Amino acid sequence: MSAIDIAIWDAVGTSLGRPVYQLLGGEDGRQVRAYASKVQPDDDLAEVRRMARDYADRGYTGVKANWPYGPADGRRGLLANLRHIEAVRDELDDDIELMSDAYMGWDRAFAVEMLRGLSGLGVRWVEEPLIPDDVAGHAMLRDLGLVPIATGEHEFTRYGFQHLIDAGAADVLQPDVHRVGGITELRRVCQMASGAGLDVIPHVYSAATLHVVLSQPGCTWIEHLTNPSYWGRDQRVEPLFLGEPEVVDGRPQLPTEPGIGLRINEKAMPELADWA
């Protein structure tokens, strides 16, 4: 459903000679901030600081960090997690926001203790502290009022997001345009969130995601899965598509090509050369 919907918007934009974000009501010249995703866990906190500083030096005004430990590691893991995030926070300037991603890795008891430890550290959100289906658990964590809760990348269609909104399970909704039902459905989720007073910061960077973000006033950030700071530039994976807008100084470049603006990379997929 998502792929077909994105393809239709691409075809309409191409036929009209206009970028999709303009068809969605986005204005020329609008800029959004990209946050760098993400600082990876490392037992060497000096390396953790280096990764955080690398993103800051590249102009990002938001940085997201993964957590090294979970419930199986007990109190030792909890304290190590806090030292990890404190190292990242200390390395970043005051005007750089810090996000975090537990990626469905905690249980309720561990999550409660983590949020208590994080309270006051200025973390913008904890993402998916519990498995996505535990909507009541996310609502319970949000009710604690300690750290904002973000979730939604594993929800599908607007009905899944209606459930999150009704349950009060999130401060930040994170739909993925490639999962939720495409551009049409992502725009509906943004409208629903606006009525509920919630932020929408979509999951994962892509051209299709950017077109929607540029058209929605409630989307002030976009996630950017960067070339990881622990990889060399010669280790970059060959992209499947060409034409994705680059992020420069922490801001995505404005799309200029008609439609979504992508084309098949024949070098990466020679079997699709005829399609190109």
Side-chain angles (χ1 to χ4, degrees):
M1 177 176 170
S2 299
I4 292 170
D5 184 83
I6 293 169
I8 290 172
W9 279 103
D10 184 42
V12 173
T14 300
S15 68
L16 296 175
R18 298 177 64 192
V20 166
Y21 81 90
Q22 294 181 359
L23 304 183
L24 296 170
E27 61 184 80
D28 289 338
R30 184 184 179 220
Q31 290 188 323
V32 296
R33 295 185 292 174
Y35 71 85
S37 182
K38 44 205 168 211
V39 175
Q40 298 289 356
D42 198 292
D43 290 334
D44 184 355
L45 292 183
E47 176 63 11
V48 170
R49 288 175 176 273
R50 186 201 64 79
M51 285 187 277
R53 173 48 51 190
D54 176 61
Y55 288 136
D57 290 344
R58 288 155 65 179
Y60 292 98
T61 54
V63 174
K64 188 162 75 178
N66 273 12
W67 298 102
Y69 299 104
D73 302 297
R75 179 167 176 76
R76 179 189 65 84
L78 189 148
L79 294 175
N81 276 349
L82 294 177
R83 286 192 292 269
H84 171 78
I85 205 70
E86 286 171 350
V88 177
R89 180 67 271 175
D90 288 346
E91 192 63 30
L92 300 177
D93 298 334
D94 291 342
D95 59 348
I96 298 179
E97 294 205 47
L98 175 59
M99 299 80 165
S100 71
D101 188 356
Y103 197 65
M104 309 174 283
W106 299 345
D107 58 25
R108 291 191 184 189
F110 190 85
V112 169
E113 291 305 311
M114 279 298 308
L115 294 183
R116 286 174 177 162
L118 290 171
S119 179
L121 293 183
V123 176
R124 177 69 174 80
W125 70 66
V126 172
E127 185 173 328
E128 284 194 326
L130 310 172
I131 61 171
D133 291 332
D134 190 2
V135 175
H138 281 96
M140 179 270 292
L141 295 178
R142 187 189 182 211
D143 284 345
L144 295 175
L146 298 172
V147 181
I149 301 299
T151 189
E153 70 178 80
H154 292 105
E155 290 294 340
F156 302 87
T157 77
R158 61 192 181 277
Y159 302 105
F161 284 90
Q162 189 64 60
H163 187 193
L164 291 177
I165 292 171
D166 290 344
D171 299 281
V172 179
L173 299 179
Q174 299 176 305
D176 186 321
V177 71
H178 315 97
R179 297 172 180 169
V180 74
I183 289 171
T184 301
E185 200 73 348
L186 177 52
R187 186 167 61 166
R188 288 172 176 152
V189 171
C190 291
Q191 293 163 349
M192 293 161 55
S194 176
L198 299 177
D199 291 335
V200 176
I201 303 176
H203 173 246
V204 88
Y205 185 81
S206 74
T209 306
L210 179 58
H211 281 280
V212 178
V213 167
L214 287 171
S215 72
Q216 299 298 314
C219 296
T220 55
W221 286 95
I222 188 169
E223 180 176 19
H224 189 220
L225 296 171
T226 68
N227 180 39
S229 59
Y230 54 86
W231 285 3
R233 295 196 175 273
D234 59 342
Q235 294 175 283
R236 290 187 68 117
V237 177
E238 188 69 30
L240 301 180
F241 298 96
L242 301 175
E244 185 175 87
E246 294 186 2
V247 174
V248 179
D249 293 330
R251 294 185 182 274
Q253 300 296 288
L254 203 64
T256 57
E257 297 296 319
I260 299 297
L262 298 181
R263 60 189 184 280
I264 292 171
N265 183 358
E266 297 179 36
K267 182 179 178 181
M269 295 186 288
E271 69 276 14
L272 295 183
D274 289 343
W275 286 64

